Amino acid sequence: MSATHVTHLRCEYLVDPLGIDERAPRLSWALASDRRGARQLAYRVRVASTPEQLARGGADRWDSGRVTSDQTTHVVYRGAPLGARDACHWDVEVWDETGAAVRSAPARWSMGLLSPGDWTARWIAADPEIVQRDPEAIASTLQDCGTPAVFRKNFAVSAGVRRATLYASARGVFELTLGGRRVGEDLFAPEWTDYDKRIHFRTYDVTPLVRPGANTLGATLGDGWWSGFVGWQEHRGRYGSLENSLLVQLEVELDTGERLLVGTDASWLCATGPILSSDFMMGEVFDARRVARDWLPVREVAPPNAALVAQRSEPVRVTETLAPVSRHELRPGVFVYDLGQNISGFVRLRLRGVPAGTHLTLRHAERLNPDGTLYVENLRRAKATDVYIAAGAPEESYQPHFTFHGFQYVELSGFPGTPPDDLVTGCVVHSATPPAGEFECSHADVNRLWRNGVWSQRDNFLSVPTDCPQRDERLGWMGDAQVFLRTATCNMDVAAFFTKWMIDVEDAQTTEGIFPDIAPRLREDIHWTGVGDLGGAAGWADAGVIVPWTIWRVYGDVRIVERHWRAMTAWLDYLERTNPGGLRTRDLHNNYGDWLCIPTDTSFGTHSPMKNFLATAYWADDAAKMATMARALGREEDATRFRAMFERVRGAFQREFLREDGRLTVETQTAYLLALAFDLLPANVRGRAAERLVANIKSLDWHLSTGFIGISHLNPTLTRNGHADVAYRLLVQDTFPSWLYPIKHGATTIWERWNGWTHQDGFFNPAMNSFNHYSLGSVGEWLFRHVAGIELDPEVPGFRRFRLQPFVGRELTFARARYRTMHGEIASEWHREGETLTWRFQVPPNTGARVFIPSVDGPPVVSDGLEIAGRADGFAFAEAEPGRYTVHSTMRLPEC
Ligand code: BGC
């Protein structure tokens, strides 16, 4: 019997966050033990202002006392009101079902600056003279990426340092240094928000970097999303300004008890430095010979008319480095490296003894042309080119500062001689969301498919969930995000990431209640190019409801639902106002439909019966989700209203789209999938509808034809409707179009379109052909939910209770998954020999699962102590308390 441990202490989903601005933060922990039945009977949270107090058992901020409760997640802090800068050291004591009391290791959080009055620093910008007088510097214009400014402030520290905290924000993106050492490892801070509404500040503990005596605080300020190129826009300065500005406040507590405050103001100095230009899309030019000199005073500028808020999600970081798997010399002096993996990030260069002034040029691409050159046409206007000009030092190391690229291949030119093996390293850059799930099975290509989905997630979850990391787009497309979200939760812990992004979504909502198609929204009123009106599209804007819904269901988070309730209601009000008849056919805006389905229709703003079908189905599902969430929130009136809305829309849907013989008037795979997944059909026709769906798939010789919208529903819906065999058949299909076709042709990420590259036609039209778009990879959730069988309980959110129900297919002989929930790790692993099954699974402490063991009537189930409560549809079911189990059964493989 193993003892209980209390692990994984988190505050607002984050481990030891600094500088939060949530005044009633939620605390979570998990129990670890493989003892059967392990659970929590009571807890006691202590929060103290110093670690010493906490160690002594003091809890001057909050002592919850012993609370008889099994709650381990989202325990709301109810102590003394928290003020700016407050340090909070906390732990939790748990009484388990054996009566033993166990105490966790300490954790901490701190409060940031909470109101404008807490900031004494002033916003500063560089004097434009630093660029004008510098013959190599580039002046920033609507088309040209300008030379970033560096900033500096010297200050003296008269005594030993007890604690030093640095708060920083910017219009632009910063890199900070103290005494020449980089502050933190975060990239591209402060990250992307709707800068007209809110701007992040970041908090760093810089105690080890501040020394008694002379110190220098430095900053470099890049353009980022604020003033650089964003999306397919041809003009920079999307927020109405090309001027970057900075706000830094360093607060030092000295041993003497004195406090020292160093804030940006007119006494700071600025100059140009080694970066000549740097832009997300275009790349960076860095001349290592240049040093900042002839410093000029900065200018104080007006503060933004937007709230300064703490970033509440994991920062963007380099999370992994990759050595190239090959290099070949394309022509003399031009080398092409293959990283073996399509990533988002950049290359780190390591040079030894390269002559000063040597220009090294790095170009990036996802694929190669048949002649071995880079295929860059699909990057559109993104130049994705970095240039490093060597200083001539014995050792030099360089990585770009304010740019990233989507690439697998790098072309290097300008290197004198043969490059040494360690010259080029690929750096993987994205929001550092913690890994949550792992999947593996007996089919190598399916494993690659799962990994490709994880890679596309990593490559695209960069501050916001983007569509793609390589071309001039990289926007927070809502449709893509919502279809992939459930898969994303299986791969990584994305709770904090989506909590932050949902704020961007609400910030982008119009006063009429229209949710956007992309978040953060781009202002379309300045120098707009191309498709506009980016809001209100069915399947895209509906993410405004689907995101809070999913975060609530997966993480048990009620607060995200409460916080966005008004916004979600406004959206449903808008749909109802616009479409009084119950069919969603009006104001469909860009109306993307089942984007990139086969045959493809990529027209904008057009109408078709399928598009009306899709829009109405999403409305009905929004209403159904709202009704369920309202009930969970105790909003009974809302629950009644939205249930009635669901019934009304469902009725209109059936009248319009359901024939008497049970067939739909629109006969695409996605139409059947949405009708079944969203419960839009009368019970007596569901079976027939599922059969029509299967007939459609069969008529395409067992191929899929769904686009972004249908795809996430395809395998789960087939499985839930008795056709797991068909789902498996689609899973392992490897001829075009299928999930495995790209894998047969070297894909290391999910492609934007089924026909991104085909035997027959080669590359599709580069105007829209990304090789790193996660939407079509949303089959990942099915691998966890139905192959490994780790599924949410229909009634209980957050995996506090869950289901374990693997659907075993003849295409696999084993599958295993581990999945870290808020409550600890669920594991499921099955092996099949013929029709004899061995299944091992793990139910974390303080949870419970209803398990469904694949089995036929007759031969007994060896159930490892589980009491079989019944049998239905090829499964024996039982209730499992926490613990590890191994069961054996005889099952029947489905026929296809
Ligand atoms: C993006 C998508 C997006 C779509 C909207 C494309 O340009 O890359 O992923 O959802 O537009 O139709």
Side-chain angles (χ1 to χ4, degrees), residues 572-762:
L572 275 282
D573 291 344
Y574 162 78
L575 291 179
E576 192 172 47
R577 226 172 31 242
T578 321
N579 300 289
L583 283 179
R584 185 173 167 191
T585 54
R586 290 162 53 182
D587 279 0
L588 294 175
H589 303 273
N590 282 327
N591 212 10
Y592 312 108
D594 187 21
W595 189 246
L596 300 181
C597 63
I598 300 173
T600 300
D601 165 13
T602 46
S603 61
F604 294 108
T606 55
H607 286 74
S608 71
M610 178 60 206
K611 288 183 172 183
N612 290 342
F613 181 108
L614 184 154
T616 306
Y618 263 91
W619 178 13
D621 191 51
D622 287 351
K625 287 184 161 62
M626 290 294 283
T628 308
M629 290 189 281
R631 218 170 305 121
L633 259 48
R635 293 173 172 271
E636 290 311 324
E637 263 178 44
D638 284 341
T640 310
R641 174 192 170 201
F642 290 121
R643 189 70 215 170
M645 187 188 284
F646 170 71
E647 295 297 347
R648 203 166 55 252
V649 178
R650 187 180 195 249
F653 174 93
Q654 291 182 0
R655 283 190 295 280
E656 181 72 11
F657 300 116
L658 183 63
R659 290 187 226 262
E660 273 175 19
D661 63 1
R663 287 163 50 187
L664 297 173
T665 57
V666 176
E667 293 222 89
T668 65
Q669 291 179 11
T670 294
Y672 280 100
L673 289 168
L674 295 185
L676 287 164
F678 296 165
D679 190 21
L680 301 178
L681 301 175
N684 62 344
V685 305
R686 289 181 63 86
R688 259 179 295 155
E691 275 153 28
R692 289 294 300 169
L693 170 63
V694 172
N696 179 309
I697 295 168
K698 187 171 178 203
S699 73
L700 298 173
D701 193 21
W702 307 103
H703 286 87
L704 44 72
S705 68
T706 49
F708 279 23
I709 294 296
I711 193 68
S712 65
H713 297 292
L714 182 55
N715 275 9
T717 305
L718 283 166
T719 304
R720 274 197 305 270
N721 287 279
H723 299 285
D725 52 337
V726 180
Y728 269 104
R729 204 161 173 168
L730 290 174
L731 177 72
V732 299
Q733 176 63 268
D734 60 11
T735 57
F736 176 81
S738 64
W739 283 300
L740 299 192
Y741 180 74
I743 286 166
K744 290 281 175 219
H745 299 285
T748 60
T749 39
I750 305 290
W751 294 355
E752 176 175 27
R753 33 195 341 143
W754 297 117
N755 60 344
W757 181 93
T758 58
H759 272 100
Q760 278 163 343
D761 302 322

Side-chain angles (χ1 to χ4, degrees), residues 232 380 466-468 470-471 473-481 517-518 534 537 540 590-593 595-596 602-604 708 752 767-768 770 773-775:
W232 59 83
R380 303 197 304 218
T466 63
D467 55 337
C468 54
Q470 74 299 83
R471 69 178 178 225
E473 190 141 4
R474 315 183 192 185
L475 299 172
W477 280 101
M478 304 258 291
D480 310 38
D517 299 349
I518 55 170
L534 296 169
W540 271 252
N590 282 327
N591 212 10
Y592 312 108
W595 189 246
L596 300 181
T602 46
S603 61
F604 294 108
F708 279 23
E752 176 175 27
M768 208 184 84
S770 142
H773 248 70
Y774 46 63
S775 301

Side-chain angles (χ1 to χ4, degrees), residues 70-253:
D70 58 5
Q71 188 181 358
T72 59
T73 62
H74 305 302
V75 171
V76 177
Y77 170 84
R78 297 200 190 284
L82 295 171
R85 309 174 177 85
D86 280 350
C88 299
H89 298 267
W90 69 287
D91 64 15
V92 58
E93 187 171 5
V94 161
W95 286 265
D96 69 22
E97 85 293 353
T98 69
V102 254
R103 200 152 164 193
S104 73
R108 67 171 176 155
W109 83 87
S110 71
M111 303 303 289
L113 301 185
L114 301 180
S115 60
D118 296 323
W119 291 91
T120 43
R122 311 282 181 79
W123 284 85
I124 58 167
D127 181 341
E129 174 61 20
I130 59 170
V131 170
Q132 283 152 23
R133 68 178 186 181
D134 178 345
E136 288 164 341
I138 304 157
S140 165
T141 71
L142 287 176
Q143 267 92 25
D144 303 314
C145 316
T147 297
V150 294
F151 297 84
R152 190 181 85 177
K153 172 75 184 173
N154 292 333
F155 62 97
V157 175
S158 57
V161 174
R162 191 181 296 158
R163 178 161 95 144
T165 310
L166 193 149
Y167 304 93
S169 183
R171 285 171 286 196
V173 281
F174 58 65
E175 260 188 33
L176 304 169
T177 56
L178 252 167
R181 286 160 68 196
R182 202 179 189 295
V183 173
E185 297 161 44
D186 307 352
L187 300 175
F188 314 148
E191 293 179 19
W192 199 4
T193 51
D194 182 338
Y195 301 124
D196 290 324
K197 301 222 165 116
R198 69 189 75 237
I199 303 183
H200 285 160
F201 69 85
R202 303 295 289 270
T203 303
Y204 301 97
D205 180 354
V206 290
T207 312
L209 298 182
V210 182
R211 308 237 166 91
N215 285 265
T216 304
L217 181 51
T220 307
L221 197 49
D223 299 339
W225 300 276
W226 163 258
S227 63
F229 282 109
V230 176
W232 59 83
Q233 293 308 300
E234 291 174 6
H235 293 92
R236 304 167 63 247
R238 299 312 314 159
Y239 295 88
S241 170
L242 293 171
E243 183 180 79
N244 301 330
S245 50
L246 178 70
L247 180 74
V248 175
Q249 184 160 314
L250 171 65
E251 301 187 359
V252 187
E253 287 171 42

Side-chain angles (χ1 to χ4, degrees), residues 6 29 31 37-44 67-72 75 92-97 800 845-846:
V6 186
W29 58 91
L31 306 189
R39 64 197 169 90
Q40 172 181 296
L41 296 183
Y43 70 82
R44 178 177 181 182
V67 182
T68 306
S69 164
D70 58 5
Q71 188 181 358
T72 59
V75 171
V92 58
E93 187 171 5
V94 161
W95 286 265
D96 69 22
E97 85 293 353
R800 174 74 180 78
N846 213 39

